[in-house]
Amino acid sequence: MNTTRTELLLPRRMTTTAVLDALSSRLSLDEGTGTQRDRRYYDTFDGLLRAAGVAFVHESGRLALVSIDDGVERAGLPAPEPPERVFAAELEPGPLRDALLPIIEVRALLPLMHIHSAQRGFGVLDADAKTVVRLALDAPEVVASPNRRLALAPRIRIEAVRGYGKALTRVRKTLIDDLGLTAADRSVLDEAVIATGATPGGVSSKVDIALARDQRSDVAVASVLRPLAAIMESNLPGTIADIDSEFLHDYRVAVRRSRAVMRELKGVFPAEQLAHFRVELRWLQQVTGPSRDLDVYVLDFDELRSGLPEPSRSDLEPLLRVLRDRRTIAHREMVRALRSDRAGGLRSQWPAFLNELVTMAPEGRPAAARPIGELAGERITKVYRRMVKTGRAIDDSSPPEALHELRKQGKELRYLLELFGLPLHPGEVVKPFVRALKSLQDTLGAHQDREVQIATLRSLRDEVSTLRGGAGALMAMGVLIEHLGGDERAARAEFAQRFASFASRSQRALVRETFSS
Amino acid sequence: MSRVLATYNIKGGVGKTSAAVNLAYLAARGGAKTLLWDLDPQGASTYLFRVRPKVRGGVRKLVHRKSAVEKLIKGTDHERLDLLPADFSYRHMDLALDAAKHSNDRLALVLEPLRAEYEYIFLDCPPSISLVSENVFEAADTLLVPIIPATLSSRTFEQLEELVRGGPQVLAFFSMVEVRKSLHREVMAKLRAAHVTMLGAAIPSADEVERMGVDRTVVAEIAPGGRAALAYEALWWDVRRRLGAPAGAAPGAPPGAPPAAPPGAPPAHPPAG
């Protein structure tokens, strides 16, 4: 195995000096100049880069995206100082931006770890004093704060020199077989994260809970809602600080999923508390809504604008200004609400309630002790049937509200399927079902988004018209409204076909078989 | 896509290998992945990089593309700088080329699979006018021509320009210059005035250039900051400027790498004109 780069760890109780002594007696080593390295690693809050097998690092005036397994740089850019935060879309066009954008999309890269290390470099020489393998002895430490450093295990890195495969094999053999070094199974970055007490991979906004069909429903529901509450909590600081748009998005998805669980599985909750928390979570959803809508507007602006002919695109600048201003105001109002006593109370009461749920008196909670497999199956079947009924009633003359209603039911079904369907039923049935639902929802979503966009554009006309360049912007907005109307009609035309496959005879039979038992 | 630069002169002993080795080193030090192909069967640049002058399969397989050229490359002691070594069989390269189809662009074809990987490819050519040089003219984007400022050098230069007319860009520079010799100064002034493709930087005749063969490394390591090292830096800056590359440090320049700007006044650079 001759990979270009391997990192090895020393056996217990072996010092770096001992390794070097042992190596010098077996190989001809030439020590180069030592270096001090300062690597500052970045990742998104939810660890998208690590999940993609890459790391983003600032070192010696350069930002680079490197592969975790072999350390090879995929793309880079000069950057004299380590940045505070990086958005792919804001990097100058080039390979680094192209490599990052598909991985992190709109997420911000935030400082994750600062690793300082003293490194000694060695060349393994052949008979002509030619370097045939490079070795680097690295003593890394995490710079946790200006005066707190955590030492990590020293590492020896073997780097191949092209065309000297045999020498590489020999050096690896010496280090591993003779001296007992072992390949590091974790990257130095992961080691650093663990040393600070955190978990590598960031904070996920996914719920992945194992459930059993015969589990009590209140136990199952609580075990699904608790991680959702934790997701809300972990995304709150980033939402308030406006780090990137996904904090708020993930926060709202967690709220919406929690509400869907409460609505669909009412029978496991005591009525009074249920009513209270439903009101409170709906309130959270409402106070965060305008900010999210405007986030989407600003994020989609370029795409929206690309619907215009090239020369009129700049005409829309006044609209973007209005949207940004509104977004700032909406964000401020949202932050006020999220910092209010009402929200603060909810932050502590809601998780406390979830912890107590299973020990609460069974009276007034008729479904609490029922097996979750049965209860969730019932609800999934019920919501599906309701959707089939609603969808069938939709024809060309139906108002947009009918499609909107169907979409809301679809969200409910999707959350039930993701939170309970997948952990309790065979993936090969549930996954295609979720896909069919998703494709229907995309069409319904496109329809509704266009509808909302048109309404928003109309509502902004007065404000835009008062700005400099307002007249041009109004004309461009008129063209946009026309385009959006076209998209809306296209989505509507697509609906019938998507719905037909979602509500097909075979799909209905499959739902009956899977969830009714 | 890489830039192919060949150090070439019809005459031998004019500083071709020294230029190829030191310029390739500077290109790599500036952050560019660089390959040097030692085409000279004597294998001087291969020797300087301490690599064994051996190409598995020899020249015949190489020019007929029966060997995977990627596998013949050796890493040097310098980061980002690789070598395609010389082989004693290169002395029959003319014959091998002659026996192949498209005998004029065989070397270009051999380089083809490497052009995506390397930003610069240097060819260190044997002195001659032959099928090998025809191939070099075909493969290279630029010929770097070292010229000793002596009486016949102007004639050499003109002959060469005639030879490659319509082919690669020709950039000549003075090599093995002894500024104390008035003849050198006169010839340099005359040639610079007559040829716009004559570069400003000039390589002095210096001890450290001769020491390369003893220490088996580049002048920047033998005498960093010395006359020859500075002159090669100035030459590389000048070449890059003519190639249209940005004059600042290349993207990817490692920390501490000096910017590719010309040092104050190259010592072997007497006032032109």
Side-chain angles (χ1 to χ4, degrees):
Chain A
M1 193 180 72
N2 283 338
T3 47
T4 55
R5 178 194 287 230
T6 322
E7 293 202 331
L8 302 175
L9 294 172
L10 277 52
R12 233 176 245 285
R13 285 191 292 277
M14 184 184 274
T15 62
T16 52
T17 322
V19 174
L20 287 178
D21 286 348
L23 267 183
S24 315
S25 67
R26 290 169 169 85
L27 304 166
S28 167
L29 287 188
D30 172 45
E31 178 155 13
T33 47
T35 48
Q36 301 286 321
R37 302 180 72 186
D38 276 286
R39 285 168 282 178
R40 287 176 171 85
Y41 288 94
Y42 295 75
D43 205 340
T44 62
F45 181 67
D46 53 352
L48 290 174
L49 293 184
R50 183 179 181 275
V54 288
F56 188 75
V57 61
H58 181 271
E59 184 179 4
S60 316
R62 189 168 169 77
L63 280 172
L65 189 69
V66 296
S67 299
I68 289 173
D69 52 354
D70 59 9
V72 171
E73 179 177 315
R74 295 197 186 170
L77 266 184
E81 293 299 322
E84 247 174 65
R85 150 186 338 177
V86 177
F87 284 102
E90 288 173 7
L91 290 171
E92 62 180 75
L96 186 60
R97 187 182 192 270
D98 294 347
L100 267 181
L101 204 49
I103 306 174
I104 63 170
E105 297 178 345
V106 299
R107 292 233 74 158
L109 288 174
L110 304 169
L112 177 63
M113 282 291 143
H114 173 187
I115 300 175
H116 172 85
S117 60
Q119 187 176 294
R120 294 169 68 183
F122 300 87
V124 177
L125 306 181
D126 68 3
D128 286 325
K130 157 92 179 72
T131 301
V132 288
V133 176
R134 289 194 181 89
L135 297 176
L137 179 62
D138 207 31
E141 52 186 17
V142 184
V143 184
S145 69
N147 29 19
R148 185 160 162 263
R149 296 191 171 204
L150 308 163
L152 303 174
R155 289 171 170 238
I156 289 189
R157 195 173 63 242
I158 311 179
E159 273 180 50
V161 173
R162 188 164 180 171
Y164 294 91
K166 277 187 199 151
L168 180 65
T169 308
R170 203 169 58 240
V171 171
R172 284 178 56 95
K173 210 169 151 319
T174 307
L175 281 164
I176 295 171
D177 298 350
D178 301 354
L179 301 181
L181 277 76
T182 47
D185 53 0
R186 270 198 291 263
S187 68
V188 69
L189 174 57
D190 279 0
E191 293 258 4
V193 172
I194 292 167
T196 59
T199 312
V203 181
S204 165
S205 288
K206 293 202 167 65
V207 178
D208 188 12
I209 299 289
L211 298 174
R213 283 197 210 193
D214 54 359
Q215 214 170 7
R216 279 175 62 106
S217 287
D218 57 356
V219 173
V221 164
S223 67
V224 164
L225 287 178
R226 271 195 301 261
L228 287 172
I231 292 167
M232 286 161 59
E233 189 62 25
S234 61
N235 280 286
L236 186 62
T239 299
I240 289 175
D242 197 15
I243 288 173
D244 66 40
S245 58
E246 295 309 284
F247 285 94
L248 174 57
H249 178 56
D250 288 348
Y251 181 87
R252 281 173 54 82
V253 170
V255 173
R256 214 185 297 126
R257 288 173 140 200
S258 306
R259 291 179 63 210
V261 171
M262 281 195 274
R263 202 161 39 235
E264 289 302 327
L265 302 161
K266 290 187 191 76
V268 305
F269 301 97
E272 197 184 325
Q273 278 101 327
L274 177 70
H276 169 70
F277 286 117
R278 282 187 68 183
V279 169
E280 292 307 289
L281 289 180
R282 188 175 65 219
W283 171 74
L284 275 186
Q285 191 85 31
Q286 281 164 352
V287 297
T288 52
S291 216
R292 173 64 192 167
D293 290 347
L294 287 156
D295 273 353
V296 174
Y297 242 115
V298 173
L299 289 173
D300 288 351
F301 193 77
D302 283 337
E303 202 199 318
L304 193 71
R305 180 157 50 183
S306 67
L308 287 178
E310 189 75 49
S312 352
R313 286 184 193 166
S314 58
D315 291 350
L316 277 184
E317 278 310 309
L319 174 62
L320 183 60
R321 272 208 304 281
V322 169
L323 289 170
R324 287 212 168 114
D325 289 350
R326 288 206 169 187
R327 188 188 165 279
T328 308
I329 295 166
H331 183 260
R332 203 179 302 142
E333 280 170 5
M334 175 184 75
V335 169
R336 201 173 301 136
L338 290 175
R339 283 188 174 144
S340 67
D341 291 346
R342 186 175 179 182
L346 188 56
R347 274 174 74 190
S348 56
Q349 288 157 14
W350 175 235
F353 166 71
L354 294 175
N355 282 334
E356 287 161 11
L357 179 64
V358 293
T359 59
M360 286 177 173
E363 290 79 34
R365 301 197 294 137
R370 286 184 62 194
I372 186 65
E374 193 183 296
L375 184 61
E378 252 174 51
R379 295 312 306 166
I380 288 169
T381 313
K382 183 115 183 176
V383 178
Y384 174 68
R385 287 190 181 147
R386 199 193 300 148
M387 280 187 78
V388 171
K389 204 169 151 196
T390 311
R392 278 183 178 158
I394 293 174
D395 59 26
D396 291 346
S397 63
S398 306
E401 290 75 29
L403 284 99
H404 181 42
E405 176 56 32
L406 183 64
R407 185 181 180 216
K408 279 191 353 202
Q409 294 170 5
K411 279 190 178 174
E412 205 97 335
L413 179 60
R414 181 159 171 207
Y415 296 150
L416 280 175
L417 286 171
E418 285 169 351
L419 295 172
F420 297 99
L422 281 171
L424 292 171
H425 299 277
E428 62 269 25
V429 178
V430 182
K431 280 182 186 161
F433 186 24
V434 172
R435 270 200 297 276
L437 172 59
K438 221 176 148 268
S439 122
L440 174 65
Q441 291 290 95
D442 287 348
T443 305
L444 292 169
H447 177 266
Q448 200 199 344
D449 289 351
R450 298 297 169 262
E451 176 95 3
V452 172
Q453 281 171 329
I454 291 170
T456 312
L457 283 177
R458 290 204 169 116
S459 74
L460 291 174
R461 280 195 292 209
D462 287 348
E463 194 173 341
V464 171
S465 67
T466 62
L467 296 175
R468 213 150 65 92
L474 277 188
M475 282 180 31
M477 283 161 74
V479 177
L480 272 188
I481 289 175
E482 219 164 282
H483 279 304
L484 292 168
D487 288 353
E488 187 188 349
R489 286 188 293 278
R492 180 134 187 175
E494 211 176 52
F495 163 75
Q497 189 201 345
R498 300 264 171 110
F499 180 75
S501 89
F502 172 76
S504 67
R505 180 189 294 268
S506 59
Q507 185 63 62
R508 277 178 290 148
L510 206 59
V511 170
R512 198 164 46 237
E513 262 167 49
T514 311
F515 300 105
S516 301
S517 49
Chain B
M1 207 53 176
S2 51
R3 197 69 92 122
V4 181
L5 303 144
T7 53
Y8 177 80
N9 194 315
I10 302 157
K11 292 166 67 156
V14 295
K16 284 190 300 290
T17 292
S18 174
V21 164
N22 286 294
L23 293 180
Y25 165 81
L26 289 172
R29 194 180 72 177
K33 249 203 118 188
T34 305
L35 177 74
L36 189 145
W37 187 359
D38 185 357
L39 286 166
D40 191 335
Q42 291 182 49
S45 38
T46 305
Y47 176 81
L48 290 178
F49 284 122
R50 300 168 190 263
V51 175
R52 283 182 54 212
K54 180 86 192 123
V55 167
R56 199 181 303 161
V59 71
R60 190 168 298 276
K61 281 196 170 175
L62 186 59
V63 303
H64 285 81
R65 294 199 291 168
K66 297 252 166 68
S67 312
V69 64
E70 301 90 334
K71 294 200 172 150
L72 304 174
I73 291 170
K74 299 284 182 185
T76 69
D77 287 4
H78 311 284
E79 259 189 274
R80 292 179 291 276
L81 178 55
D82 290 344
L83 179 82
L84 185 50
D87 186 278
F88 197 47
S89 66
Y90 284 4
R91 68 193 191 282
H92 303 308
M93 195 177 269
D94 262 354
L95 293 174
L97 290 168
D98 199 30
K101 284 183 195 155
H102 307 289
S103 58
N104 275 345
D105 49 15
R106 290 318 295 182
L107 295 192
L109 287 171
V110 172
L111 287 177
E112 201 53 47
L114 304 173
R115 296 196 64 162
E117 182 179 351
Y118 294 98
E119 199 171 325
Y120 294 105
I121 297 178
F122 285 83
L123 307 177
D124 183 14
C125 307
S128 66
I129 302 178
S130 62
L131 203 44
V132 178
S133 44
E134 293 285 322
N135 267 268
V136 167
F137 301 157
E138 199 63 45
D141 302 305
T142 304
L143 292 189
L144 299 173
V145 184
I147 288 180
I148 300 177
T151 31
L152 291 174
S153 54
S154 179
R155 202 174 123 71
T156 313
F157 190 25
E158 276 149 21
Q159 277 177 339
L160 184 71
E161 285 202 313
E162 184 60 37
L163 196 62
V164 301
R165 198 167 297 273
Q169 171 192 29
V170 175
L171 297 175
F173 61 95
F174 291 113
S175 178
M176 308 172 87
V177 175
E178 291 176 52
V179 257
R180 275 177 308 182
K181 285 192 181 164
S182 59
L183 175 68
H184 276 201
R185 291 201 302 274
E186 276 167 36
V187 172
M188 286 167 78
K190 209 179 281 172
L191 270 179
R192 280 203 175 106
H195 301 279
V196 284
T197 50
M198 197 75 225
L199 296 173
I203 308 302
S205 166
D207 282 350
E208 55 261 39
V209 179
E210 284 172 34
R211 278 212 72 82
M212 286 175 66
V214 182
D215 294 357
R216 297 178 78 176
T217 188
V218 295
V219 290
E221 291 205 332
I222 298 167
R227 283 195 308 147
L230 292 179
Y232 278 117
E233 277 180 33
L235 176 60
W236 180 229
W237 181 84
D238 219 353
V239 170
R240 276 162 52 78
R241 197 170 55 92
R242 298 287 187 123
L243 298 178
H269 184 173

